[in-house]
Amino acid sequence: LFHFKIILGKIGVPVAENFRLEQSTISDTIQEGQVCVRTLYLSVDPYMRYRMNEDAGSDYLQPWQLSEVADGGGVGVVEESKHNNFAKGDFVTSFNWPWQTVAILDGGLLQKLVPQLVDGRLSFFLGAAGITGLSALLGIKEKGHVRAGANQTMVVSGAGGACGSLAGQIGRLEGCTRVVGIAGTDEKCSILVSEMGFDAAINYKKGNVAEQLRELCPGGVDVYFDNVGGDISDAVISQMNQNSHVVLCGQISQYNKEMSYPPPLPLEVEKIRKERNITRERFLVLNYMDKKEASILQLCQWIKEGKLKV
């Protein structure tokens, strides 16, 4: 058994020395209600940066404890079961999967997966058909107010990432007529346009983002899917239209700093937001669990039909 442990947490940029890899043994027997699983996939996500702090700053996220095994979204296969819902060979997932090769888990914390929904590509249940896809789809539906036929322009920051690349495609599927992505390399920008169906993409490391936005979004911005915060978001919000909407999905440019969530906007940008009645509300997938099943089925259907590229 190999497992990954956290050994230090503080404000700043995480480094390799914050973690250690250990080898140990696991119990030969499992108790009633438990399941022994072998790990297949682990998801490494931006929110985990918060969990490296002594206080995760959230009521729904617990900080990783020093010298304890790290955890997060995971997928694995059942090797032995003493829980009525699971049998050997079942594929299962959990949001609190320990970062170890083999684990004995409480069966009540696991959900059974249907591999056929993703044509056997189990890792998709941690991405496009999991919490990442739900963040994009529910964020757009619940906070983006996209309406077919309304001729809306959407901008996505962090557009080359797991969530952003899906958000731009979903914005199009939901009815946006123009989708512009912001990413950090020419290669990402090229893929967004040639493969993901974005109309245009901006490399924020080259040239002036505000000027490029004015050129690429001549009618202004109606929906902004915000993954990054900071200067890029300030530039986008400054060009948003009256009664437009920010989908506040993430603020990754701020995660290594002391911050409240969502971080406040600079005074001049907040003034624009208020004057133009731009909504910018915190968005949590956990608040929409009643829509989870139908949303995942929709995501899987789009993936199978080739309408959503992963």
Side-chain angles (χ1 to χ4, degrees), residues 184-202:
T185 70
D186 288 341
E187 183 184 14
K188 289 180 185 178
C189 291
S190 173
I191 289 170
L192 289 173
V193 175
S194 65
E195 296 183 32
M196 303 288 185
F198 284 63
D199 293 284
I202 295 168

Side-chain angles (χ1 to χ4, degrees), residues 100-118:
Q100 54 193 61
T101 51
V102 181
I104 294 173
L105 303 176
D106 177 354
L109 302 176
L110 299 172
Q111 296 88 50
K112 193 181 294 187
L113 297 172
V114 181
Q116 293 85 347
L117 286 175
V118 289

Side-chain angles (χ1 to χ4, degrees), residues 227-246:
N227 284 307
V228 303
D231 294 344
I232 288 173
S233 291
D234 296 343
V236 178
I237 293 169
S238 298
Q239 297 190 39
M240 294 186 74
N241 293 325
Q242 196 73 26
N243 303 317
S244 55
H245 304 281
V246 177

